[in-house]
Amino acid sequence: KQEVTQIPAALSVPEGENLVLNCSFTDSAIYNLQWFRQDPGKGLTSLLLIQSSQREQTSGRLNASLDKSSGRSTLYIAASQPGDSATYLCAVMNSGYSTLTFGKGTMLLVSP
Amino acid sequence: NAGVTQTPKFRVLKTGQSMTLLCAQDMNHEYMYWYRQDPGMGLRLIHYSVGEGTTAKGEVPDGYNVSRLKKQNFLLGLESAAPSQTSVYFCASRSGTGGGYGYTFGSGTRLTVV
């Protein structure tokens, strides 16, 4: 059974810092890995999708990497802003019927 | 383009009552999913569908039933609600197989069973 772990569970940083969120998974037979953002009481917004054959994806200040063989992914946020405060979820898409297995998330607070 | 729409957004049920949550997508996606999100547990898959008329069980299917009579709609039913089903329910859809296709999520239904 696929298991996804996110570290740290919570992170508080001052505005402007660069930061890294970590995600690890136990079964490397995945189609892709997605990073989502969730604001309190809201739904999930897809940030980045990395296919299993790719090493990284970038969108603006966000960069996500994938090392499938070691079962690890990182989400790098450059020059953090208070608007980045949210919970960040990592999810791997399992082979077969493409179901997602989620980590429990990292709650990020960026202070002005 | 509405994407994935869930109704209702909020609901309070009494133990033993039944209800149906509706998920509708306008993207002609084949795959649809129901997840529940609970504090400390993350999101867990309840049921999913790989096409019109097909459904399958996920990780936590007990106490729920689903139907996919039309391609654009995926219904989640609670026949006899229990307090343990208090949760936030998310529907998602996906257009096809392969690693290049991501998920699109609805905004969620917050259900409280008292």
Side-chain angles (χ1 to χ4, degrees):
Chain A
K1 178 186 173 184
Q2 180 75 268
E3 294 183 0
V4 179
T5 303
Q6 291 187 244
I7 294 173
L11 183 62
S12 182
V13 300
E15 181 177 8
E17 273 203 9
N18 302 324
L19 55 98
V20 174
L21 308 182
N22 296 291
C23 173
S24 62
F25 49 95
T26 56
D27 186 349
S28 62
I30 64 170
Y31 279 143
N32 64 38
L33 183 145
Q34 278 188 268
W35 282 94
F36 293 90
R37 170 185 171 136
Q38 186 176 30
D39 293 290
K42 304 295 184 182
L44 281 69
T45 300
S46 180
L47 297 173
L48 289 165
L49 180 152
I50 311 176
Q51 296 186 56
S52 61
S53 59
Q54 298 174 326
R55 297 285 292 180
E56 65 177 329
Q57 283 288 330
T58 298
S59 176
R61 293 183 294 108
L62 305 179
N63 175 276
S65 68
L66 174 64
D67 185 341
K68 200 175 83 160
S69 61
S70 68
R72 295 181 186 277
S73 175
T74 61
L75 178 66
Y76 175 82
I77 302 177
S80 58
Q81 302 171 358
D84 294 330
S85 298
T87 296
Y88 291 80
L89 297 167
C90 167
V92 296
M93 185 176 294
N94 305 299
S95 58
Y97 290 114
S98 308
T99 58
L100 282 180
T101 301
F102 283 85
K104 295 180 180 179
T106 294
M107 186 181 302
L108 174 65
L109 176 63
V110 181
S111 304
Chain B
N1 191 348
V4 178
T5 302
Q6 292 184 233
T7 53
K9 296 190 183 305
F10 302 93
R11 184 74 184 269
V12 178
L13 283 181
K14 294 182 178 179
T15 297
Q17 287 185 321
S18 64
M19 77 164 294
T20 299
L21 282 67
L22 172 64
C23 176
Q25 52 94 4
D26 61 1
M27 300 171 285
N28 201 36
H29 284 178
E30 288 291 336
Y31 295 72
M32 298 187 74
Y33 307 83
W34 278 107
Y35 287 84
R36 60 177 288 174
Q37 185 177 35
D38 303 290
M41 300 296 292
L43 281 95
R44 293 177 292 169
L45 181 65
I46 305 171
H47 286 279
Y48 62 100
S49 168
V50 300
E52 182 178 320
T54 72
T55 62
K57 295 180 180 180
E59 181 184 356
V60 288
D62 294 342
Y64 305 94
N65 56 77
V66 288
S67 64
R68 183 111 181 259
L69 299 180
K70 295 182 178 180
K71 186 177 183 178
Q72 64 268 33
N73 296 335
F74 194 28
L75 279 63
L76 178 70
L78 287 72
E79 291 185 348
S80 180
S84 62
Q85 294 177 305
T86 294
S87 187
V88 181
Y89 292 85
F90 287 101
C91 176
S93 70
R94 186 170 185 256
S95 62
T97 58
Y101 298 94
Y103 275 50
T104 301
F105 278 84
S107 59
T109 294
R110 188 173 298 272
L111 175 67
T112 302
V113 182
V114 298

